[in-house]
Amino acid sequence: MTNPDARKKIVVERAYKAKVDELWSLWTTKVGFESWWGPVGFRVEVQEIDPRVGGALRYDMIAATPEHIAAMKEMGQPTSHKTHGTFTVVEPMKRLEITHVIDFLPGVKPYDSATMVEFIPAGDRVRMVVHLSGMHDETFTNMQKEGFASQITKLDARFEA
């Protein structure tokens, strides 16, 4: 594994015609998180979401369409996996960081991966800036980038970015 500090960072930015509390709840509530998290073709089931510093985030990432189920099986990957992390920064309506434990990849030593999001109000819009830690190698970092780009289209459609 690469030194975590040397991993490529990914930044995704959007401006939505929304209120900060609407976006905040999508990151910090069970209903909100389940409504958009995961690439298109996947869904999540949240077991625990406790948006306070040190609070847990536990959910299952599940392939949800026949095509994605078949693709996961073809790659020799499970069609669902448990994911867990911790809220490491919580500044209500301003900034949030979740540190996920990447421990579900066969043959890869577990490591932490941070997702930090900033909410910046600007008139009737909110600028949302998401910073993702890269994964353990370039291939998985590219998959992560593609996966997040896919899942954020769910928010784009909701708020017509």
Side-chain angles (χ1 to χ4, degrees):
M1 179 182 86
T2 304
N3 175 343
D5 296 331
R7 294 190 311 230
K8 181 179 178 181
K9 307 289 187 212
I10 300 164
V11 178
V12 179
E13 186 172 336
R14 293 288 195 278
Y16 294 117
K17 190 171 184 176
K19 295 179 181 170
V20 173
D21 62 328
E22 290 176 283
L23 291 172
W24 182 261
S25 71
L26 293 173
W27 287 85
T28 61
T29 67
K30 176 180 172 55
V31 170
F33 200 82
E34 288 179 344
S35 76
W36 77 281
W37 194 261
V40 172
F42 289 81
R43 64 183 177 83
V44 298
E45 288 181 5
V46 174
Q47 282 76 48
E48 183 177 6
I49 187 165
D50 183 5
R52 62 182 173 84
V53 173
L57 174 60
R58 293 185 307 105
Y59 59 92
D60 293 335
M61 178 71 69
I62 304 162
T65 66
E67 298 81 16
H68 287 87
I69 292 168
M72 296 301 287
K73 287 180 178 179
E74 186 176 310
M75 292 186 299
Q77 298 293 320
T79 58
S80 71
H81 67 266
K82 295 192 177 305
T83 303
H84 58 101
T86 304
F87 287 90
T88 51
V89 174
V90 180
E91 297 174 17
M93 310 300 163
K94 293 180 184 173
R95 191 166 70 112
L96 183 70
E97 185 170 312
I98 303 165
T99 300
H100 285 91
V101 178
I102 308 301
D103 62 356
F104 50 83
L105 299 172
V108 177
K109 184 178 175 183
Y111 63 95
D112 290 345
S113 179
T115 301
M116 195 267 284
V117 59
E118 300 170 282
F119 304 95
I120 305 156
D124 67 343
R125 295 189 170 274
V126 176
R127 201 168 115 231
M128 186 178 80
V129 183
V130 181
H131 304 260
L132 304 167
S133 296
M135 301 290 281
H136 62 283
D137 68 23
E138 188 173 346
T139 299
F140 274 85
T141 296
N142 287 334
M143 288 171 54
Q144 174 195 37
K145 185 177 182 179
E146 290 171 14
F148 195 81
S150 172
Q151 82 181 34
I152 206 164
T153 64
K154 297 173 188 177
L155 295 184
D156 294 346
R158 179 179 290 182
F159 295 108
E160 298 178 24

